[in-house]
Amino acid sequence: MKTLTPKLALIMVLLLVSQLSYSQVYKDQFAHTFSIVARDVKTGEMAVGVQSHWFNVGSIVAWGKSGVGVVATQSFVNPAYGPNGLELMQNGTSAKDALQILVKKDEGRDFRQVAMLDVNGAVNAFTGANCVESAHQIVGDNFSVQANMMLNDNVVPAMEGAFKTYSNLPLAERVIKVLQAAQAAGGDIRGRQSAALIVVGPKLTENTWQDKLVDLNVEDSDNPIKELDRLLKVHNAYNFMNEGDLAVEHGDMKKAMTAYGTAQNMFPENLEMKYWTAIAMANSGQLDEALPLFKSIFEKDNNWREMTKRLTKPGLLTVSEADLNRIIKL
């Protein structure tokens, strides 16, 4: 008897899927993966973290809305679980009941793996009978971890262990630890390619662009979780920059400089952070203290000198012409 090659076996699986109706299995949405949905009991924030050997996995797996809940939909993905699950939860249906309602309607349920968590901490998960081994889920207090097509059965328990071990961390960092634990335990049998992390808040937002507190997506990488971790650190650093800007607006330069300093310490090589710190100092009457910063920036990239000349007209730099000359002649 002839042994099937991995490629031929995959083709046969896809042919089987294609025999089902489009409403049963979205054969173009192929995202075998490991993921977590979780809630921070202290802040009320909710998150989805995911990694897969598939391009841009976050775009179809991770769904969330502040004040409502989060959804991870994977395996042979039915993307409708995302928006439909969030709609049900926003209208008052618990995550447990919302998932049961949608699974019952889905004729392709045996190919699905889905987890949902709502703003109250209710959580539920489903793993279809035809999900590719190793496929498991663990539903716990304010979290669910799930995976399919894993190298071994140790992946999901490792995720659960990490979530409980790192309870002292902020939710986003905690989710990263969970993904790292999954990969260390064996991860996806095919390897790794993409990862994503979203975090939403405990209350509904008025504006859609304010809905996600964290929205990071590594579409294609040799080490997507490592890159996701790096991006989260950059995200946090820029949050400190925003905090500094807000403090400047309120005239609190002490608070502003503390926030700017924290951001720069996190990424000392980032000229953008140094530059706007120097601009804020110059605008607040601390030009002498800002000049060494300007000088170090101009020495590394002279374009920032030219940039400085352009900031006076729109009022982003409010120093006198004499002080402007002191800056650009450094």
Side-chain angles (χ1 to χ4, degrees):
M1 183 175 178
K2 235 178 176 182
T3 303
L4 291 177
T5 65
K7 184 176 181 180
L8 184 56
L10 177 59
I11 291 173
M12 291 185 68
V13 169
L14 292 175
L15 286 173
L16 172 63
V17 172
S18 67
Q19 292 173 7
L20 301 173
S21 70
Y22 190 76
S23 64
Q24 289 175 304
V25 176
Y26 292 68
K27 61 186 177 64
D28 292 332
Q29 306 290 335
F30 184 59
H32 299 289
T33 186
F34 56 80
S35 70
I36 175 173
V37 296
R39 176 176 174 268
D40 187 316
V41 295
K42 295 177 183 178
T43 66
E45 292 176 353
M46 298 165 285
V48 182
V50 58
Q51 196 252 211
S52 177
H53 189 280
W54 197 254
F55 177 72
N56 196 17
V57 67
S59 65
I60 55 173
V61 169
W63 301 79
K65 186 172 184 179
S66 287
V68 177
V70 288
V71 178
T73 173
Q74 56 199 48
S75 188
F76 285 93
V77 180
N78 182 343
Y81 277 98
N84 291 347
L86 292 175
E87 182 178 9
L88 284 169
M89 288 187 281
Q90 185 166 357
N91 290 332
T93 306
S94 71
K96 181 179 180 180
D97 292 340
L99 182 57
Q100 290 177 343
I101 290 169
L102 295 179
V103 167
K104 187 176 181 180
K105 293 180 179 179
D106 185 2
E107 294 181 356
R109 67 181 72 88
D110 287 344
F111 294 90
R112 317 294 190 206
Q113 189 171 54
V114 189
M116 294 186 183
L117 180 146
D118 64 39
V119 70
N120 299 313
V123 61
N124 199 8
F126 172 80
T127 299
N130 289 339
C131 288
V132 180
E133 296 182 1
S134 171
H136 300 282
Q137 66 184 49
I138 296 177
V139 177
D141 185 17
N142 286 280
F143 79 95
S144 176
V145 289
Q146 47 282 324
N148 62 89
M149 202 179 275
M150 295 297 101
L151 181 64
N152 56 56
D153 292 345
N154 299 325
V155 174
V156 175
M159 296 172 75
E160 177 193 27
F163 184 74
K164 293 179 176 179
T165 298
Y166 294 100
S167 59
N168 61 313
L169 293 179
L171 184 59
E173 284 78 0
R174 193 177 181 187
V175 168
I176 293 289
K177 291 293 186 183
V178 170
L179 299 182
Q180 290 171 338
Q183 186 60 43
D188 192 318
I189 195 171
R190 302 160 300 169
R192 52 196 177 180
Q193 183 171 0
S194 66
L197 170 65
I198 64 169
V199 178
V200 296
K203 296 181 180 180
L204 287 168
T205 58
E206 293 184 7
N207 302 311
T208 57
W209 58 87
Q210 297 174 322
D211 193 60
K212 290 185 175 65
L213 304 176
V214 179
D215 189 5
L216 303 175
N217 192 24
V218 180
E219 297 176 343
D220 184 39
S221 172
D222 292 335
N223 195 336
I225 299 175
K226 181 179 180 181
E227 177 62 8
L228 194 65
D229 186 38
R230 186 191 71 82
L231 290 177
L232 179 59
K233 289 181 172 65
V234 175
H235 168 88
N236 290 339
Y238 273 93
N239 276 348
F240 280 110
M241 289 296 295
N242 292 335
E243 183 181 316
D245 292 344
L246 187 61
V248 170
E249 288 181 22
H250 290 97
D252 190 344
M253 283 306 298
K254 183 177 179 181
K255 183 177 180 180
M257 295 314 299
T258 298
Y260 288 148
T262 301
Q264 289 180 56
N265 288 336
M266 294 173 73
F267 281 90
E269 71 282 3
N270 188 300
L271 295 184
E272 180 98 21
M273 293 179 181
K274 282 186 177 181
Y275 182 76
W276 292 110
T277 300
I279 292 294
M281 293 171 69
N283 285 340
S284 64
Q286 300 180 51
L287 180 59
D288 289 339
E289 294 86 349
L291 289 177
L293 271 180
F294 280 119
K295 184 176 181 181
S296 67
I297 294 165
F298 297 162
E299 287 174 348
K300 292 182 179 179
D301 187 345
N302 198 53
N303 282 350
W304 292 102
R305 190 192 310 273
E306 179 61 31
M307 170 81 159
T308 306
K309 300 175 187 177
R310 303 178 184 185
L311 294 185
T312 55
K313 182 178 180 180
L316 296 176
L317 180 60
T318 57
V319 298
S320 66
E321 185 175 347
D323 284 341
L324 175 63
N325 288 330
R326 288 180 67 193
I327 297 172
I328 62 178
K329 289 180 178 179
L330 287 170

